[in-house]
């Protein structure tokens, strides 16, 4: 299982556009009976759909060759939510009064993006599931974008979700269904997709969104001697607390002013635990992606990854090279790309690193 490939991102940071990472993943895929692509597989929010799929074609062709006759399941996330459209529309048109299931299954339509992907996969059987999939009776996997209704870090995605929730009059305080989350989030994803179809608008959105986030993260960093710089002190002591207080007064929170790596991790894990509880997912192991922060690794606080009702979270990381978030040494940090999760017939799911280095061309540009 892999997630957050972001194939065809306009930043060119998606590693699987390069032959060497594709070969590493193909070696691991050979011989397995099921490959799960756990969301944000193709970057559909930064450019036109046809261009994004064209950039992703080599990956899918090589994956199909490596997988042979294995099953390949796509579980869409927020950046490729468009791929869930056939499943969501079929559910709405069915007349079934029951809410969307946590593991709704969908047919691959004869035309459209999924049909093209199925053709590229060759003998591999493509399936669609959303918003998640049960892999065993005790293992559930979902991309994890529903956490954007709960995180306490005021990212642009979280702020947009908060505004959307207010428009709805709020979401249920207790148990929720996927339909509840979709009501708040799906309109945002549809708007992002429509903007991406306009030439240049998707790239502008990326610069205004991800670029601002990375820039702010760098500003919060330390100088070469480990001391916070003047810009970091001004942000953490004055600007950010003031802005967060204003957002909370507007009723968009609750948000917290701590934007450290520890706060981001803890907020994401707490939020995922909340989603699991609200959806009533009683699994011993819950796999998610979305945050690009893989774990838990041996150096992590294992207690942070435990679910209050029993069970454990595990994050699949990403295949996107983001130097601003890497540790020292980079390839040992939780944001190092190229991770997968292996789920066997029994035993806990396990994280594996498939990449020791990034492609030479990319390393030369980023200094890693």
């Amino acid at each position: 299982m892999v997630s957050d490939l972001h194939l065809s991102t306009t930043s060119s940071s998606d590693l699987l556009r390069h032959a060497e990472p594709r070969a590493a993943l193909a070696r691991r895929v050979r011989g397995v009976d099921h490959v799960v692509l756990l969301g944000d597989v193709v970057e559909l929010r930064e450019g036109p759909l046809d261009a994004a799929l064209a950039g992703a074609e080599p990956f899918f062709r090589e994956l199909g060759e490596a997988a042979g006759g294995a099953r390949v399941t796509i579980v869409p996330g927020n950046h490729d939510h468009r791929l869930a459209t056939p499943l969501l529309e079929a559910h709405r048109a069915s007349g079934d009064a029951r809410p969307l299931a946590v593991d709704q299954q969908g047919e691959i339509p004869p035309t459209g993006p999924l049909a093209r992907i199925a053709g590229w996969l060759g003998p591999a059987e493509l399936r669609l599931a959303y918003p998640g999939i049960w892999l065993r009776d005790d293992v559930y996997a979902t991309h994890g974008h529903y956490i954007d209704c709960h995180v306490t870090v005021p990212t642009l995605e979280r702020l947009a979700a908060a505004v959307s929730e207010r428009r709805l009059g709020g979401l249920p305080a207790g148990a929720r269904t996927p339909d509840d989350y979709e009501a708040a989030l799906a309109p945002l994803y549809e708007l992002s997709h429509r903007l991406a179809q306009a030439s240049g608008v998707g790239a502008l959105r990326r610069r205004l969104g991800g670029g601002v986030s990375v820039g702010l993260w760098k500003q919060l960093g330390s100088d070469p001697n480990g001391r916070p710089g003047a810009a970091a002190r001004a942000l953490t002591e004055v600007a950010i607390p003031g802005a967060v207080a204003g957002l909370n007064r507007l009723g968009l929170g609750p948000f917290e002013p701590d934007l450290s790596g520890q706060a981001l991790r803890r907020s994401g894990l707490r939020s995922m635990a909340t989603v699991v509880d609200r959806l009533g997912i009683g699994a011993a192991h819950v796999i998610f992606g979305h945050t690009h922060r893989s774990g838990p690794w041996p150096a992590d606080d294992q207690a942070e990854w435990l679910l209050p009702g029993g069970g454990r979270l595990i994050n699949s990381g990403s295949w996107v090279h983001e130097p601003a978030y890497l540790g020292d040494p980079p390839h040992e940090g939780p944001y190092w790309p190229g991770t997968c999760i292996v789920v066997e017939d029994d035993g806990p799911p396990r994280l594996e690193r498939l990449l020791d280095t990034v492609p030479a061309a990319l390393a030369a540009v980023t200094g890693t």
Side-chain angles (χ1 to χ4, degrees), residues 4-255:
D4 297 274
L5 313 184
H6 290 275
L7 297 166
S8 299
T9 184
T10 56
S11 67
S12 300
S13 60
D14 50 314
L15 293 185
L16 291 169
R17 69 171 55 217
H18 299 279
E20 308 99 300
R22 290 201 304 269
L25 181 57
R27 287 192 293 271
R28 188 63 187 84
V29 163
R30 289 190 180 94
V32 306
D33 57 13
H34 190 188
V35 178
V36 177
L37 303 177
L38 196 62
D40 289 3
V41 181
V42 184
E43 181 52 71
L44 298 182
R45 288 167 51 161
E46 296 180 2
L49 175 63
D50 284 345
L53 289 175
E57 181 178 352
F59 164 78
F60 285 113
R61 288 192 180 279
E62 293 181 25
L63 176 64
E65 181 180 353
R71 187 182 358 149
V72 175
T73 300
I74 290 181
V75 182
N78 52 320
H79 283 248
D80 55 5
H81 187 263
R82 192 71 177 183
L83 298 181
T85 298
L87 181 152
L88 296 172
E89 290 183 344
H91 175 70
R92 288 193 290 265
S94 68
D96 190 342
R98 291 175 298 180
L100 189 72
V102 297
D103 62 339
Q104 194 82 20
Q105 307 291 306
E107 298 292 330
I108 304 302
T111 60
L114 287 169
R116 293 172 65 182
I117 291 171
W120 295 332
L121 286 172
E125 176 192 5
L126 180 62
R127 296 188 182 181
L128 175 65
Y130 186 80
I133 183 172
W134 286 97
L135 298 173
R136 290 187 333 218
D137 290 343
D138 61 340
V139 180
Y140 178 78
T142 181
H143 179 66
H145 48 295
Y146 288 173
I147 71 172
D148 289 328
C149 290
H150 300 290
V151 290
T152 56
V153 177
T155 62
L156 292 178
E157 197 96 356
R158 175 65 180 99
L159 290 172
V163 172
S164 183
E165 283 187 53
R166 278 191 83 174
R167 179 185 59 83
L168 294 170
L171 295 180
R176 295 181 183 175
T177 68
D179 290 312
D180 294 322
Y181 285 108
E182 290 294 311
L185 297 174
L188 305 178
Y189 304 153
E190 176 62 21
L191 175 61
S192 293
H193 176 76
R194 289 181 180 274
L195 289 174
Q197 304 317 298
S199 178
V201 175
L204 176 62
R205 182 195 179 280
R206 181 187 63 79
R207 289 194 290 272
L208 293 178
V212 169
S213 299
V214 172
L216 180 59
W217 181 268
K218 290 179 179 179
Q219 287 291 321
L220 291 172
S222 302
D223 67 18
N225 296 315
R227 298 185 298 267
R233 289 195 300 273
L235 283 169
T236 57
E237 295 173 10
V238 180
I240 291 175
V244 168
L247 292 171
N248 288 334
R249 283 194 297 271
L250 290 172
L252 296 177
F255 296 122

Side-chain angles (χ1 to χ4, degrees), residues 259-278:
L259 302 186
S260 66
Q262 294 89 341
L264 290 169
R265 181 187 71 250
R266 290 168 184 160
S267 178
L269 292 172
R270 287 196 306 266
S271 300
M272 192 63 217
T274 299
V275 170
V276 169
D277 177 65
R278 297 291 177 87

